[in-house]
Structure formats: structure tokens, C-alpha cells
Amino acid sequence: EVQLVESGGGLVQPGGSLRLSCAASGFIFSSFAMTWVRQAPGKGLEWVSGIRDGGGSTYYADSVKGRFTISRDNSKNTLYLQMNSLRAEDTAVYYCAKDFRPCSGGVCYFSGMCYWGQGTLVTVSS
Amino acid sequence: QSVLTQPPSASGTPGQRVTISCSGSSSNIGTNSVNWYQQLPGTAPKLLIYSNNQRPSGVPDRFSGSKSGTSASLAISGLQSADEADYYCAAWDDSLNVVFGGGTKLTVL
């Protein structure tokens, strides 16, 4: 059974940092691109960042570029999101997710997210 | 403001057919496939339609998707009260990110 379990959320002051983790199980983690998606309270979904299977390429939304860093440890089946210079508008539930298709032939997939974690709440407030 | 444009709300009565539109551009829907998500209150999103018109295992055939040019649509037939949820479209954008629609809140009257 595929499982994605996020952790690391909490209350942080503006300008502070936080690192989220996503522990994956039930599938060949190193074969899939992984993604972070967030949802501010009462708002819609916002794609935050994605990383290819081997971790060699990373992608970011303009709203977090230069402040957030996505990474992965395939030996630990874990995805990370390092969040620096946090702002009030970063307050959201953060989900990790995987596409239903593994990377293949050098192509990775990000938008068909068939498995999601339960989410972890990040609150940026003084 | 979301890159993909959806109506903020839609509604229908039980048994009715409703459609939700999603409008994009040549850099996303125009060249990449569209996926649809259903989000029930307080839960993580669920993949409803992938690759424009494919249903994952377990999704009833009451749900269908289509794409034409830079627009896509989700249709729900035989509307049920359990379908009351938020629906989002998403696609890969050639600027190297995933773009979502703003979401459509479906109300079953």
C-alpha cells in the first residue's frame, strides 16, 4: 500500500525557517518524481515544487523560488522541503504527492498526482 | 490569480448532468494533458481524471473529461449528493511547473 506521511509543520515567525519531510513507502521511491502542493486556509491548491526521480532537476513556483529548496534521499525514501524566509502568505497545509506514472526514458511526470499525504500545517505568524 | 481559469461555483440537482470548464493557454493545456481532482471537505485531493479523459481505477464512469485546444471540461452525470466537493483542473506548463485552476465548488441542490 502506498503511503506518504508528512511531518515538520508548525508555528514559525515571519522570516524563520522550517523543514518538512515526507516519508514514502509502498512503491519504488527512486523511480518517481515527487511534488509538494500547498493549500492556504479556505483557498485553492497551489503547486509549490517538484523534483525528478534522481534529484538532479528541481522545479519551483515563482512564489517560492529562491526561498524554498526541495530535495530527496532515495536511500531513506524521504522527500524534503526546506523553507526559508517564511512569510505570512506561506501559511498553508503542505501536501507531498506522487504521480501515477514513474519516470521513463528520461521523462518524469508531475501533474497526475494519484497519491497524497495527509498534509502538514505550516503557520507563519508572530 | 490562477493560471487556469475555472468558474468558482457550479450546481445541479440529483440525477442531473453538470460540466465544469477549465481554460488555459498554449503553454499548458494547449500542449500538455489535463488532470482533474476532487477534494471533499477536510481531505486531501483525489485524482479523478488523468490524461484528459482517463479514469483511475475506482472512479465511476459518471465522471468524464475532455479537452479541445486550450480548454478542458469535466462532466458529471447522474449527479449525487456525494459529489458535492471542490474540483480542480491541473496541467504541466512549459515554464516548468504545474498550474492549477482556482477550483470550482459544486453544490448539489
Side-chain angles (χ1 to χ4, degrees):
Chain A
E1 179 194 4
V2 172
Q3 283 200 320
L4 298 170
V5 180
E6 302 97 338
S7 60
L11 175 64
V12 61
Q13 292 189 338
S17 298
L18 214 53
R19 188 174 88 152
L20 306 183
S21 299
C22 172
S25 61
F27 65 100
I28 303 173
F29 183 71
S30 59
S31 293
F32 288 82
M34 295 296 295
T35 290
W36 288 99
V37 175
R38 69 183 180 184
Q39 187 169 35
K43 302 297 185 182
L45 302 173
E46 180 187 15
W47 186 84
V48 173
S49 183
I51 185 168
R52 288 178 58 94
D53 51 351
S57 293
T58 57
Y59 310 95
Y60 299 93
D62 287 343
S63 58
V64 306
K65 203 171 291 184
R67 300 187 299 123
F68 290 12
T69 302
I70 190 172
S71 62
R72 64 192 297 162
D73 186 336
N74 285 347
S75 68
K76 295 182 178 179
N77 289 353
T78 302
L79 175 72
Y80 303 100
L81 185 67
Q82 177 66 43
M83 304 185 295
N84 298 331
S85 303
L86 282 162
R87 307 166 179 167
E89 55 264 36
D90 296 318
T91 294
V93 173
Y94 285 73
Y95 296 99
C96 70
K98 70 172 280 292
D99 199 278
F100 67 94
R101 296 157 291 190
C103 298
S104 177
V107 179
C108 285
Y109 304 94
F110 293 89
S111 66
M113 292 160 276
C114 63
Y115 288 101
W116 298 66
Q118 84 287 352
T120 187
L121 177 62
V122 172
T123 303
V124 184
S125 174
S126 55
Chain B
Q1 192 160 346
S2 302
V3 174
L4 304 182
T5 301
Q6 297 180 236
S9 63
S11 63
T13 56
Q16 209 172 24
R17 182 178 187 269
V18 297
T19 61
I20 298 172
S21 62
C22 175
S23 177
S25 68
S26 58
S27 66
N28 40 67
I29 294 178
T31 51
N32 299 294
S33 61
V34 178
N35 307 286
W36 289 90
Y37 296 88
Q38 177 194 60
Q39 188 177 32
L40 299 171
T43 68
K46 169 188 172 183
L47 182 63
L48 202 62
I49 297 287
Y50 67 92
S51 299
N52 303 324
N53 55 17
Q54 303 298 302
R55 285 185 306 277
S57 172
V59 173
D61 59 6
R62 301 186 297 106
F63 295 90
S64 62
S66 64
K67 182 183 112 169
S68 178
T70 59
S71 294
S73 291
L74 172 71
I76 309 172
S77 60
L79 198 62
Q80 301 178 0
S81 57
D83 299 332
E84 194 160 279
D86 295 325
Y87 293 84
Y88 297 90
C89 56
W92 179 254
D93 190 284
D94 291 343
S95 61
L96 303 183
N97 58 11
V98 175
V99 290
F100 278 100
T104 298
K105 185 177 184 62
L106 175 64
T107 301
V108 181
L109 302 170

